[in-house]
Amino acid sequence: MDQADAIVVGSGLAGLAAAAELGDRGKHVLIVDQEPRSFLGGQAFWSLGGLFMVDTPEQRRMGIKDSRALALNDWMGSAQFDRDEDAWPRKWAEAYLDFAAGEMRPWLHAMGLRWFPIVGWAERGGGFADGHGNSVPRFHLTWGTGPGIIEHFVRRCEEHEKAGLIQFHFRHQVDRIDMENGAAKGVSGTILADDTAARGQKTNRDAVGDFALRAPSVIVTSGGIGGNFEMVRKVWPTDRLGPAPKEMIAGVPAHVDGRMIDISEQAGGHVINGDRMWHYTEGVKNWDPIWPAHGIRILPGPSSMWFDARGNRFAPPALPGFDSMGTLREILATGFDYSWFVLTQKVIKKEFALSGSEQNPDLTSKKWAEVIKQRVLSGGNATGPVEAFKEKGEDFVVANDLSTLVNGMNQIAGGNLIDEARLRRQIEARDAQIDNPFSKDAQMMAIHAARNYRGDRLLRTAKPHKFLDPANGPLIAVKLHVLTRKTLGGLQTNLEAQMIGADGQTVPGLFAAGEVAGFGGGGYHGWNALEGTFLGGCIFSGRNAGRARSIA
């Protein structure tokens, strides 16, 4: 006998969105997760909370003219869909844009979400209007960051739990999706021992029992593979990006392990675009780690100079915040798996933000007084978390002169790859461009363009200044690692989030949403993401799954 109308595997943002919608419809739902209840919300808890939305009041107040048509041009120029199997991902992309330019903001606002008034300009692109990148700022930072998003979906699910419509099963690790006559009938697996690890830490996998749960619909929302380096390397697109890095750091907890992907395929699902992924080039090792190989991404403004391991400046569009995958390809083409930022204290104060809710306690707190204290009244200092990395992070070098800086860089990296004279020539040439409000240097042009946007001028782009002038110091160098993050491909689904098998037919009773489904369809980003589309995709695909007519 069925114990519920649907089973949701995974209690992250997509799973909570699906379950909340099912509960609203009066459906009985079992939510199964291998982690403790304290991990509720999954990876989204650790996020900065940015959402890609189009033509919003926040944009209009900042003087930004946006439209669905412009967003579609940006999305398709970034996605570069080039495979037959991209038919469903393309439909998902267009459906998400309808959502992002229409119902998304008022629906979330009615739920209780609010946003920072200055819209961020992420992933600015590869240089052409019809290519990759956001033409305008679209990154809406949620007030409260990641926890500020999930709290509303957690609240909705817990209200349904109190009403008897939702039941949570934590420390239940799904090993099989049970099928009968080609249709889903439930899940079974291993009950894991209790674990009191703090949220995000690696938990035990000690078996204490077995379980089996039955329902005619199973929705897999188990996330991607970013915490599993072995899986990342297995699907790494060497032909497109070059060889996988020898050293990587993890932007997600260990529970983002990808284990439900194979389990879903064994049940009849079909993974497409498995070689599409989204990793960052601006990762630094966390001096106070929570999970194994814990890395943090620097969200840079446009002013830091970017050099390869030998101290050669990257050519545009390998500029901070412009083209993540293009820059990753350029870094790996050097034969090394790391690179360097060189900047000043004035740049780090104005332009460095660290990704993640825990690295932005002021924004996470939802207290304007804390935001003003950290970002306005801090004198010449950056935010507290950024200054802590500058002081304690093993990837940071701080010096009053270039000679000392280069010595520190070579000491961190090993060997003497950075030649001081060559590095000095490149910085001096850049500094010579500061004397005029115009320039032939593409990065300086980008800085001037950024400061034309009020939001960047206020909070994200330092006034142009000479790096080698001691008045602007100290000088800072940051060793940057490849940081694993998102899986762009995944289980193929139709617009109701039903899994589609290798034969092109829907698999009765099987659904997928969130990162495990490439955020929709098996990869609605295509080859490149525009940022804010990960959390947005979890919300949208989870909502679609929860509203699916085929879950009767």
Side-chain angles (χ1 to χ4, degrees):
M1 176 181 289
D2 291 336
Q3 295 160 278
D5 296 303
I7 296 170
V8 175
V9 182
S11 64
L13 180 57
L16 293 174
E21 293 295 318
L22 286 165
D24 288 352
R25 294 169 55 194
K27 303 297 181 183
H28 287 80
V29 184
L30 307 178
I31 301 179
V32 183
D33 199 293
Q34 65 187 4
E35 300 305 328
R37 190 178 189 112
S38 59
F39 284 43
L40 193 59
Q43 185 181 339
F45 175 89
W46 301 102
S47 73
L48 189 60
L51 294 173
F52 177 105
M53 295 188 287
V54 177
D55 191 22
T56 63
E58 289 78 15
Q59 286 178 301
R60 292 191 289 273
R61 280 195 291 267
M62 295 303 297
I64 300 164
K65 297 179 181 178
D66 200 7
S67 67
R68 184 193 183 280
L70 183 61
L72 177 65
N73 180 74
D74 289 348
W75 194 296
M76 294 305 169
S78 299
Q80 301 168 21
F81 292 123
D82 57 1
R83 294 169 172 168
D84 291 341
E85 63 192 31
D86 284 329
W88 280 114
R90 184 186 293 270
K91 291 178 182 178
W92 271 91
E94 293 183 359
Y96 178 78
L97 288 170
D98 289 338
F99 180 59
E103 188 183 1
M104 182 176 182
R105 187 192 179 282
W107 179 66
L108 292 174
H109 189 276
M111 200 183 302
L113 276 77
R114 299 294 184 268
W115 296 276
F116 195 68
I118 297 176
V119 183
W121 195 354
E123 205 63 18
R124 304 183 189 209
F128 292 103
D130 59 352
H132 170 55
N134 283 298
S135 298
V136 299
R138 296 190 176 104
F139 192 80
H140 294 71
L141 180 59
T142 303
W143 195 230
T145 66
I149 292 179
I150 67 169
E151 68 173 296
H152 302 284
F153 293 93
V154 169
R155 170 181 49 76
R156 290 174 63 195
C157 287
E158 289 182 340
E159 288 172 355
H160 290 313
E161 181 184 25
K162 291 178 183 177
L165 291 172
I166 288 179
Q167 185 177 18
F168 289 96
H169 293 268
F170 296 104
R171 301 299 286 160
H172 281 54
Q173 179 179 268
V174 173
D175 299 324
R176 292 168 300 281
I177 298 175
D178 299 317
M179 308 291 290
E180 292 180 12
N181 299 319
K185 292 301 177 184
V187 299
S188 54
T190 305
I191 301 174
L192 303 175
D194 290 341
D195 199 306
T196 59
R199 182 193 283 268
Q201 293 182 348
K202 191 172 183 178
T203 57
N204 74 70
R205 292 294 179 263
D206 301 332
V208 296
D210 301 315
F211 74 92
L213 300 171
R214 288 183 63 88
S217 296
V218 175
I219 307 172
V220 178
T221 61
S222 54
I225 66 173
N228 186 331
F229 289 171
E230 181 180 351
M231 289 189 72
V232 169
R233 289 193 170 96
K234 183 178 178 180
V235 298
W236 187 271
T238 303
D239 58 337
R240 191 174 181 93
L241 293 179
K246 294 179 182 178
E247 181 186 37
M248 296 184 287
I249 54 179
V252 295
H255 62 73
V256 187
D257 56 15
R259 67 186 308 276
M260 281 303 301
I261 295 173
D262 287 343
I263 292 170
S264 298
E265 284 202 292
Q266 291 168 17
H270 178 52
V271 171
I272 61 173
N273 300 316
D275 59 340
R276 294 178 181 171
M277 51 185 64
W278 191 254
H279 305 305
Y280 292 114
T281 53
E282 313 98 331
V284 291
K285 296 178 181 178
N286 194 344
W287 63 271
D288 186 19
I290 297 171
W291 54 78
H294 188 176
I296 296 292
R297 185 200 176 195
I298 295 170
L299 301 172
S303 300
S304 297
M305 296 185 73
W306 207 336
F307 297 93
D308 69 15
R310 294 187 181 277
N312 300 306
R313 192 179 180 193
F314 285 111
L319 302 173
F322 276 72
D323 184 355
S324 291
M325 288 301 99
T327 304
L328 177 56
R329 183 167 55 249
E330 292 300 315
I331 291 171
L332 296 178
T334 67
F336 295 88
D337 53 17
Y338 69 92
S339 60
W340 291 96
F341 275 168
V342 173
L343 58 146
T344 66
Q345 180 63 28
K346 285 186 176 180
V347 171
I348 202 172
K349 182 217 170 10
K350 193 77 174 278
E351 298 193 7
F352 264 36
L354 299 172
S355 183
S357 55
E358 83 284 12
Q359 299 298 332
N360 295 274
D362 54 336
L363 295 169
T364 302
S365 74
K366 302 185 186 180
K367 296 178 180 178
W368 274 109
E370 289 299 315
V371 174
I372 293 170
K373 177 182 176 181
Q374 285 284 326
R375 298 171 193 267
V376 180
L377 302 180
S378 58
N381 291 331
T383 63
V386 171
E387 290 291 338
F389 265 86
K390 193 182 80 174
E391 177 186 352
K392 302 174 183 178
E394 64 180 87
D395 296 312
F396 284 70
V397 182
V398 182
N400 290 322
D401 60 82
L402 190 63
S403 296
T404 306
L405 189 80
V406 169
N407 288 336
M409 294 167 72
N410 283 327
Q411 183 175 353
I412 286 178
N416 292 289
L417 292 178
I418 306 294
D419 178 76
E420 180 187 340
R422 185 170 70 247
L423 192 69
R424 183 181 297 275
R425 285 195 299 270
Q426 295 173 91
I427 299 175
E428 285 177 342
R430 178 261 181 210
D431 280 1
Q433 302 285 301
I434 300 298
D435 293 331
N436 295 289
F438 38 83
S439 173
K440 74 173 183 179
D441 186 280
Q443 184 170 15
M444 291 306 305
M445 295 180 198
I447 292 168
H448 290 306
R451 288 178 62 82
N452 284 331
Y453 168 48
R454 188 162 70 248
D456 274 355
R457 189 170 64 254
L458 287 171
L459 287 180
R460 291 290 286 151
T461 306
K463 184 178 179 180
H465 58 275
K466 295 184 178 183
F467 279 16
L468 295 181
D469 183 343
N472 298 319
L475 287 166
I476 301 163
V478 187
K479 185 182 179 185
L480 304 172
H481 306 265
V482 176
L483 179 79
T484 64
R485 187 61 67 87
K486 297 297 183 184
T487 313
L488 297 190
L491 293 162
Q492 189 175 31
T493 61
N494 64 16
L495 288 175
E496 284 207 335
Q498 290 177 288
M499 286 193 211
I500 297 173
D503 61 358
Q505 302 301 310
T506 58
V507 184
L510 278 187
F511 301 79
E515 190 173 352
V516 76
F519 302 93
Y524 85 153
H525 292 99
W527 288 102
N528 292 286
L530 290 173
E531 297 294 359
T533 53
F534 303 124
L535 295 175
C538 287
I539 292 170
F540 181 60
S541 61
R543 188 178 97 140
N544 277 21
R547 295 184 177 188
R549 292 167 297 174
S550 45
I551 300 180

